[in-house]
Amino acid sequence: MLIVAAAGMNSQSWGSTGNASNSDRSGPHRARLMMLLWIILSSSMCLMVDGQMKIPPETVQQWAVSFGKEINALSARYSGAKLLQKKYKDIEGMVKIHEVDGEELVRNFAEEMEEMLGRKMKSVKRLAEAAEDADFYHEYNETMEYEYYNSLLINKVNEDGNPLPLGGPFPLEENEHFNKLPVNTRLSNIQVPTNVYNRDPDILNGAFMSEALNEVFIENFQKDPTLTWQYFGSSTGFFRLYPGIQWTPDENGVVTFDSRNRNWYIQAATSPKDVVIVVDVSGSMKGLRLTIAKHTINTILDTLGENDFVNIIAYSDYVRYVEPCFKGMLVQADLDNREHFKLLVDELHVKGEGKVKKAMKESFKILNEAVALGQGSLCNQAIMLITDGAMEDFQDVFEEFNWPERKVRVFTYLIGREMTFAENVKWIACNNKGYYTHVSTLADVQENVMEYLHVLSRPMVINHDHDIIWTEAYMDSVLFNSQAQSLLLMTSVAMPVFSKKKETLSHGILLGVVGTDVALRELMKLAPRYKLGVHGYAFLVTNNGYILSHPDLRPLYKEGKKLKPKPNYNSVDLSEVEWEDTEEKLRTAMVKGETGTLTLDVRTSVDKGRRVMFLKNDYFYTVLNETPFSLGIVLTRGHGQFIFIGNVSVEEGLHDLLAPDLIIASEWTYCETDIDPAHRKLTQFQAMVRYLTGKEPDMECDVLLLQQTLFDAVVTAPMEAYWTALMLNASGMDEGVETAFLGTRSGLMRFQRYTGIEKRTAKSFLTAADKENMFTLDHFPLWYRRAAEYPTGQFLYYIPREETRAGRIVIATTAVTVKVGKKTAVAGAIGVQMTLEVLESRFWAITAQPNDTDCSDQEGVCPLRCDSFDIDCYLIDNNGFVLISKQRSDARRFIGEIDGSVMTTLIRMGMFKRVSLFDYQAMCKMNSHSISSARPLLSPFYGLAAALKWFLSNFLLFLLEFNICGFWHTEHFTEAKPSFTVSSAHKKKGDILQPCDTEYPSFVHEPSVKETNSIIKCGRCQKMFVVQQIPESNLLMLVVQADCDCSRHYSPITMEPKEVKYILWRFVKCDRMRSQKIRRRPESCHAYHAQENANDCGGASVISLSASLFLSCLSFRTLVS
């Protein structure tokens, strides 16, 4: 009112201009009014500052202490933590604590793994010997009639109810050992790809000959019951599999699986190789020819593995690299690089005239430089020339670079139906120890590409060198249409099978490859979790530094509702998982096959990356002999350092083990149930009980683990009576307390459901589906791992993530330890799960001062109430996640997302710190970094002209290839579809996920800062807040002034991962892709043999043609190009 009045007076004064005297008086009067206005405004600002809401820290501290006492008493009562800690303290005099010897542990694990893998290798050797002997005594019969079991046709009948040819009754029985698939363990059967004629004489003779493997399959399985699939992949295309199964075709009724494409076949059939693919992209290669050429390149790429090296050159008038980043060098043919090449090949376009001479020179230079620098495979070298003709005089190129040694083999693929330059293209191959093939349709590609493998295998076959190979990790989702199998990571051991007949020796005939699979989960069971401690783990890497098995390897990603393998799932480098090893000391030592130790301070995430833990890890590593693998184990200082041993009688332990509230880790191996078929349906608990009761005394069991389990069962037995007594006292039970639980280092768990399933909020908690909170092969339960990093006796509280669908619940957990002398070992963890309402009711009751509170001695707002409209109160955990808020939807959210101003201030004051974590296995949506070579339309007229040109040229090419020139060929036209799909091309770029690197933050409370308060200036208002630690917990109470909005001045702080966008993205990515990391080459190489018959270099059928038609074709060809 004063301001308005003053303004009005001022207005009147300025309006009085009647005489000079008024004018003279108006100056001082106006000045006085302006002074009055300034004083009033200043006073109001002072009032606003002096009237700043003051939240009394003392009041918040009292609330925090009261709340802490209540929840601590509540958690202790319903969990029984003090009783369990007392029970373990009582037995400290009876136990011994040993320091874990990591070097001895990794050595023992390695020996057991070597023994297991050695048994697989012996089985494969027996198969190879049997197959070679069977072939030696088999006489080829061109007119053979033989009925074999075709896995696609067994147990099927025709319209008349009669068995289909090559089918017939084939008993199948569900088998636990083979992922519950229906199998026949008495017989193998044969699968033939759709594009191979199943009654071809080669197939019939091979099927008949390989029947001899049935007895060896069965004998192997009896000697080593842990064997899984055994197989023989024939060079003619059929695949004999034991045990026999019913093969399921794809949705189109087609069987695309060809064993000759599998990595185990290719690696066993050939030595490592350096390959330069040279593709003709001149104008004559347009249309179908370019499509066939691209498919040929992709098929060649599919035959390469991580021990091979590759590059691709395209040529027309000039030579260019498909990936300019790889200019002049070879890159490892891992899955990531192969897929990258395929994307680039798909963008190839044709133009100009083909000049093959320059391209060949460039290819030889790449290969020669790789040898000079000691790069690449340093074994076989090959050039793959894909063209529709070669008109130049190129002999001098081979004289300069390849003759007379002919160390580089040249394989040629003549594309299209035209045969004008066939002799030239064949000459190139035959004079460079290669092989010539003619690829006229898409259906021809597969068989013709495979020919080069047989040529490369000749020196090895002639030498009769049976090298055993092990593959990288893979998921064979093609082999079996069953989810259990397709999501199972495995490695294969394989060996080539040769013809021993003297008349074929110089030809070096490869009969096929035999092999068997090893599920990596089974292999990793030989490094038991209980010996490695809470945070410890074991892992395997290949000779190339790629992960074979690691608990942090995430090979799958979700696309819609389906789980799919990531494009680079089996080429994840150790440095991308153990990313704290910045100098790659660990990687280098393991790749070289060394034995040693290393210590690293690491940041590791739990709870799906939302929370961070700081650990000091000791790494111990050694090589697995006779394999390309190295084993590493991790022991965490403190928890992995010590293990305690207690002992009780079997009778006493067994009594407590049979209690109804007790379970054990179903994925751990307490007893071997896979050796005797009669045991395969037993659970681990059932097997353990049968062994301990003497019903199965010969069963192989882990005596130390059983001893620890029995001891833990006895020590934790009183908890059953304690929990039961609480539950029976229904009147004294707090509503919302649902489950008490405990777990020990032996994988033993006990839990008590205080609430029936119908009233329980957390229905899935501690069920078989709740992997995160159970003991698994990869990890201890989340509540166990988090409790182990928190002071013993103090409860740690957290809300499970929303995607776990656990409901509005909170978990309270604490560690239980055993101490002998100065050594402390974690015995287990115990806790209670309750609804969030249990804490909320106590929180809101405590955080509201009564209206009759004596405020005479208090400075600030009094009475202070969290239910007041101008106050916001939160209960947050030590990672900044909200448990309690006025807005119920805030639960689980990060406080920085809700109020960025407060979190920013807390970080600046040092109460919280931001920790950067990295994910090198992430999948991101495609963005502007994705390079497309598509040319934009310059104008509608340009687009119309381009479309017209395309139509005319392809129409003429169609007439040329399929009408006129086609008259020269007597064979039928084959309609075929490429095996690759382009469905992803129809997706929006933003919907396609691709591998990427991401950085994501985690936040952690600094425990030394127990309380703080501050005022945040936000433009015209200021906001006060007070933070107080809840004693004996990981929780914080946050009280914030609610009537000052700071959102315009402080952005929310999110925890969303961000893709690492390098400043010079193209160059940085190029540098990473070019980098040649340290790798260990396979020991054997078979690139040359003096007795090799190089005259067998392919050929073509004799072609007769009319001169007039030939000239017509040439004229059409000139028009098109």
Side-chain angles (χ1 to χ4, degrees), residues 904-940:
T904 301
T905 307
L906 290 176
I907 293 170
R908 189 168 60 241
M909 296 174 73
M911 192 166 198
F912 273 85
K913 65 178 178 180
R914 184 188 190 277
V915 181
S916 289
L917 301 171
F918 296 91
D919 182 4
Y920 296 104
Q921 301 177 67
M923 296 291 288
C924 303
K925 290 184 177 180
M926 289 184 72
N927 51 32
S928 57
H929 290 328
S930 302
I931 308 298
S932 173
S933 60
R935 175 170 55 178
L937 296 178
L938 302 179
S939 70

Side-chain angles (χ1 to χ4, degrees), residues 11 89 156 280 466 571-572 590 617 681 700 727 745 877 895 975 980 1098 1104-1105:
S11 175
K89 188 167 183 60
K156 292 184 179 179
D280 183 353
H466 287 90
S571 57
V572 176
M590 293 189 72
N617 285 345
K681 292 189 177 181
E700 290 186 21
M727 188 176 65
R745 77 272 152 74
D877 66 20
I895 188 65
E975 183 180 351
F980 54 88
S1104 60
L1105 52 89

Side-chain angles (χ1 to χ4, degrees), residues 67-68 70-76 611 786 790 794-799 810-813 832 834 839 875-879 881 883 1030-1035:
F67 183 70
E70 281 215 21
I71 62 170
N72 187 62
L74 181 80
S75 304
R611 307 175 190 276
R786 294 204 64 203
Y790 209 65
Q794 294 187 19
F795 280 93
L796 179 139
Y797 300 83
Y798 69 96
I799 301 183
V810 64
I811 294 171
T813 178
V832 61
M834 51 195 134
L839 295 191
L875 182 68
I876 62 175
D877 66 20
N878 59 317
N879 297 114
F881 292 103
L883 281 79
I1030 310 289
E1032 306 295 309
S1033 78
N1034 68 317
L1035 301 178

Side-chain angles (χ1 to χ4, degrees), residues 186-205:
R186 293 179 296 279
L187 285 172
S188 63
N189 58 9
I190 285 176
Q191 173 268 341
V192 183
T194 300
N195 65 331
V196 176
Y197 178 44
N198 59 24
R199 285 191 179 274
D200 184 279
D202 287 345
I203 299 295
L204 294 177
N205 277 270

Side-chain angles (χ1 to χ4, degrees), residues 525-624:
K525 284 181 180 178
L526 298 177
R529 290 285 314 148
Y530 77 96
K531 291 185 178 181
L532 299 171
V534 184
H535 303 299
Y537 54 90
F539 60 97
L540 289 167
V541 297
T542 69
N543 59 304
N544 290 293
Y546 295 144
I547 294 293
L548 191 72
S549 179
H550 195 292
D552 290 335
L553 177 66
R554 305 191 314 277
L556 304 173
Y557 75 103
K558 208 164 189 177
E559 188 173 78
K561 294 183 178 180
K562 287 185 178 180
L563 284 174
K564 298 178 68 175
K566 293 176 181 175
N568 61 336
Y569 77 90
N570 65 352
S571 57
V572 176
D573 198 85
L574 178 63
S575 60
E576 296 174 330
V577 178
E578 299 288 349
W579 50 269
E580 294 279 21
D581 179 27
T582 53
E583 297 179 11
E584 296 193 1
K585 291 181 180 179
L586 176 67
R587 183 193 184 280
T588 300
M590 293 189 72
V591 165
K592 287 182 176 180
E594 297 174 357
T595 297
T597 64
L598 181 72
T599 300
L600 290 174
D601 291 310
V602 302
R603 292 162 284 174
T604 186
S605 65
V606 294
D607 202 11
K608 298 294 183 184
R610 299 200 324 160
R611 307 175 190 276
V612 65
M613 291 191 298
F614 301 92
L615 306 173
K616 183 178 281 291
N617 285 345
D618 291 321
Y619 293 80
F620 303 87
Y621 49 86
T622 191
V623 69
L624 296 184

Side-chain angles (χ1 to χ4, degrees), residues 199-227:
R199 285 191 179 274
D200 184 279
D202 287 345
I203 299 295
L204 294 177
N205 277 270
F208 178 79
M209 175 275 291
S210 62
E211 279 288 334
L213 295 179
N214 266 322
E215 291 182 10
V216 187
F217 285 144
I218 296 170
E219 182 186 346
N220 280 344
F221 194 36
Q222 289 172 345
K223 287 182 177 179
D224 181 9
T226 65
L227 274 174

